[in-house]
Amino acid sequence: MPLFQTIQCNENTKILIWKITESFDELYSQVTLKEKTQRRLDGMKSEMHQRAFLSVRMLIQEMGFTDKDLHYDEFGKPYFDCHNYISITHSYNYAAIIISEEAVGIDMELQREKIIRIADKFTDYECIYLEPDFTEEYIKKLTVIWGAKEAIFKIRNEKGISFKDHIRVEDFSLSETQTAASLYFDDLIKDFYVHYLEIENFTLVYAFEK
């Protein structure tokens, strides 16, 4: 299917979302890959992962870039040769990118009950306001918290950062769309704006460094 949704976050920032309905062959026929990318694609064992990977290339083409413009640093963080920042996410049948003139990170997650079982591995500070139960609201709040921490990690991309110990997400309401978060790491404190929204039964979270 064509582009699923475009979100203009601000004058310098845009999110593009692709709902992956095409076959591998349909996607592959519409992109041109450099040799290094082709090798990476060939090494993927999951066809769903391959289709998500190709969907990201479709998204960057929608923004006027090509696979030749997209690179990855030694830690796997994507970047362009130009001044634009990019962050990438994919979850099941969705892929999304955020492109901005600011440092940004993005994450998209399926809302699943499974997240309750691992909540103690990525929450600590947030226990001040979380009320643990098995409700849909609790699952959604945990998914926002995980997504916020994942997005912030993608911005900083530093070895040793712990979601539980180093990133704090402030209290928020699911009826709103924004909260704040902070990273405390190596004697450094960084603050972030965090935005979140629901798309079907997925949660999309993106963050800007203040």
Side-chain angles (χ1 to χ4, degrees):
M1 105 178 249
L3 183 65
F4 177 74
Q5 188 173 350
T6 299
I7 301 169
Q8 190 73 48
C9 307
N10 58 42
E11 61 181 7
N12 301 315
T13 309
K14 186 179 286 188
I15 293 172
L16 279 74
I17 303 167
W18 194 277
K19 190 169 186 178
I20 309 165
T21 58
E22 303 88 349
S23 68
F24 172 87
D25 290 338
E26 287 175 309
L27 289 166
Y28 187 69
S29 68
Q30 297 180 71
V31 298
T32 301
L33 305 179
K34 59 191 176 193
E35 186 178 341
K36 186 176 182 179
T37 305
Q38 182 66 57
R39 289 198 303 269
R40 186 175 173 189
L41 179 68
D42 293 342
M44 294 177 183
K45 296 180 180 179
S46 163
E47 185 179 294
M48 187 67 239
H49 193 186
Q50 289 178 319
R51 289 163 66 206
F53 187 77
L54 292 172
S55 296
V56 168
R57 271 71 201 162
M58 296 291 287
L59 289 171
I60 65 171
Q61 287 180 181
E62 289 280 346
M63 287 295 293
F65 296 94
T66 70
D67 180 61
K68 291 183 178 179
D69 300 312
L70 184 64
H71 310 283
Y72 294 84
D73 67 16
E74 59 183 310
F75 302 108
K77 184 176 181 178
Y79 67 93
F80 288 130
D81 292 321
C82 63
H83 64 279
N84 290 100
Y85 292 89
I86 180 171
S87 185
I88 294 168
T89 185
H90 47 81
S91 181
Y92 293 88
N93 59 326
Y94 282 100
I97 63 171
I98 186 168
I99 294 179
S100 179
E101 293 179 9
E102 307 172 60
V104 288
I106 193 170
D107 188 56
M108 192 169 188
E109 299 288 340
L110 177 65
Q111 297 161 0
R112 295 186 295 169
E113 193 173 293
K114 176 184 176 182
I115 199 168
I116 296 172
R117 299 200 300 271
I118 62 169
D120 63 337
K121 298 186 186 301
F122 67 91
T123 60
D124 184 23
Y125 171 83
E126 297 77 19
C127 295
I128 296 170
Y129 60 82
L130 282 173
E131 296 180 11
D133 53 34
F134 287 85
T135 64
E136 184 178 344
E137 179 175 346
Y138 182 52
I139 292 168
K140 288 182 177 181
K141 290 198 90 169
L142 285 175
T143 308
V144 170
I145 292 167
W146 173 270
K149 296 190 177 194
E150 184 70 45
I152 289 167
F153 180 79
K154 287 179 178 180
I155 293 172
R156 300 302 304 183
N157 206 43
E158 296 176 50
K159 186 177 180 180
I161 292 177
S162 162
F163 283 18
K164 180 173 183 174
D165 300 328
H166 300 137
I167 306 175
R168 301 177 182 179
V169 179
E170 298 300 329
D171 194 7
F172 61 95
S173 168
L174 292 172
S175 63
E176 299 176 353
T177 59
Q178 182 176 335
T179 187
S182 300
L183 171 68
Y184 295 78
F185 185 64
D186 278 354
D187 299 322
L188 181 72
I189 301 175
K190 286 285 185 180
D191 297 319
F192 301 85
Y193 299 109
V194 174
H195 303 261
Y196 49 92
L197 65 147
E198 286 191 40
I199 297 172
E200 296 182 346
N201 54 336
F202 289 77
T203 297
L204 180 75
V205 186
Y206 57 100
F208 297 93
E209 190 170 320
K210 289 186 180 180

